[in-house]
Amino acid sequence: EAQVTQNPRYLITVTGKKLTVTCSQNMNHEYMSWYRQDPGLGLRQIYYSMNVEVTDKGDVPEGYKVSRKEKRNFPLILESPSPNQTSLYFCASRSRLAGSTYNEQFFGPGTRLTVL
Amino acid sequence: AQRVTQPEKLLSVFKGAPVELKCNYSYSGSPELFWYVQYSRQRLQLLLRHISRESIKGFTADLNKGETSFHLKKPFAQEEDSAMYYCALGNLFYGQNFVFGPGTRLSVLP
């Protein structure tokens, strides 16, 4: 089954304790993104990656890091989490642009992070 | 700068009534507009994209470049349509940047 998976689904941690949220897709997609979802703000893009070893900042990158060492994986790293990073996080992937159109993004199930 | 606005946080309608979820956008370049839906405790999924000009689950959306709008419409709402709806903009000029609106929660009452 084609899908995007994230782990863990729920995480409660404390300020300053480094954590990693994993994201994996089995569709051989080139493009992957991380979003955070907050009430009243919708989804905001944190980082995206166009291919292996190619990453770039989205709209709200502060406090986050990513890596893309393999095509299927795109982990999100919080080196020193703070309470304002408490949010619902979604990973997404899609295939390379076809012509002049965007291809559909496929989303993971989400990771609910609470930083105390 | 790219921006997507959805003026209604919550929209409540009765079953069988028409529904319209508003979306306006600002862009530089060639935008592509999408509607995503998120049912309770589920992941986001694509509902519509303007380039397809199709009807999904009875929903349609027309891109109005003059008004920079992409409103989502359905003539007869069903209870199973209750969900969070997000309008989103993909901008080829800005590469991979993809912007979502704040979302509208649709509640269809019996």
Side-chain angles (χ1 to χ4, degrees):
Chain A
E1 181 190 354
Q3 59 181 347
V4 179
T5 57
Q6 295 178 227
N7 281 292
R9 295 288 310 280
Y10 302 90
L11 179 60
I12 300 174
T13 190
V14 295
T15 299
K17 186 176 181 182
K18 180 179 178 179
L19 65 93
T20 299
V21 183
T22 64
C23 172
S24 184
Q25 50 94 5
N26 62 1
M27 296 169 279
N28 202 36
H29 285 167
E30 290 80 10
Y31 301 131
M32 298 185 75
S33 294
W34 274 104
Y35 297 88
R36 59 179 290 173
Q37 183 182 32
D38 301 291
L41 297 175
L43 282 86
R44 292 176 293 168
Q45 194 175 43
I46 303 171
Y47 268 95
Y48 60 87
S49 170
M50 291 185 281
N51 215 324
V52 175
E53 302 290 4
V54 182
T55 63
D56 208 346
K57 297 177 181 178
D59 294 320
V60 287
E62 293 77 21
Y64 304 95
K65 285 175 57 177
V66 293
S67 70
R68 188 91 182 274
K69 292 182 168 53
E70 304 165 283
K71 196 172 186 180
R72 63 183 292 127
N73 297 323
F74 190 44
L76 180 69
I77 303 156
L78 284 74
E79 296 269 4
S80 183
S82 61
N84 64 13
Q85 293 178 298
T86 293
S87 187
L88 180 58
Y89 291 87
F90 288 98
C91 180
S93 75
R94 64 183 182 86
S95 62
R96 183 190 288 272
L97 287 169
S100 61
T101 64
Y102 258 84
N103 292 315
E104 177 183 352
Q105 287 198 89
F106 291 85
F107 284 84
T111 295
R112 187 167 292 282
L113 172 65
T114 301
V115 183
L116 302 174
Chain B
Q2 302 173 102
R3 190 166 177 232
V4 177
T5 57
Q6 295 176 252
E8 303 129 333
K9 289 185 179 180
L10 173 65
L11 183 63
S12 295
V13 300
F14 286 102
K15 177 182 174 181
V19 61
E20 181 180 46
L21 289 83
K22 291 183 166 53
C23 171
N24 288 89
Y25 65 92
S26 61
Y27 75 100
S28 297
S30 301
E32 291 213 22
L33 277 298
F34 305 81
W35 277 99
Y36 279 81
V37 61
Q38 186 178 29
Y39 299 103
S40 180
R41 298 185 182 280
Q42 294 187 27
R43 67 187 72 192
L44 277 84
Q45 51 188 292
L46 179 66
L47 181 64
L48 281 177
R49 56 190 304 173
H50 89 269
I51 202 164
S52 300
R53 301 184 66 80
E54 57 192 342
S55 174
I56 304 292
K57 299 184 180 183
F59 285 98
T60 58
D62 290 316
L63 178 62
N64 186 322
K65 290 187 177 181
E67 296 182 359
T68 59
S69 67
F70 189 56
H71 303 328
L72 184 68
K73 301 177 183 179
K74 185 170 183 177
F76 308 103
Q78 303 299 315
E79 290 182 68
E80 55 266 28
D81 295 329
S82 295
M84 195 75 181
Y85 291 80
Y86 292 96
C87 184
L89 183 153
N91 190 320
L92 294 173
F93 182 80
Y94 284 107
Q96 298 311 305
N97 206 331
F98 200 81
V99 179
F100 283 86
T104 297
R105 181 168 298 283
L106 174 65
S107 178
V108 181
L109 308 171

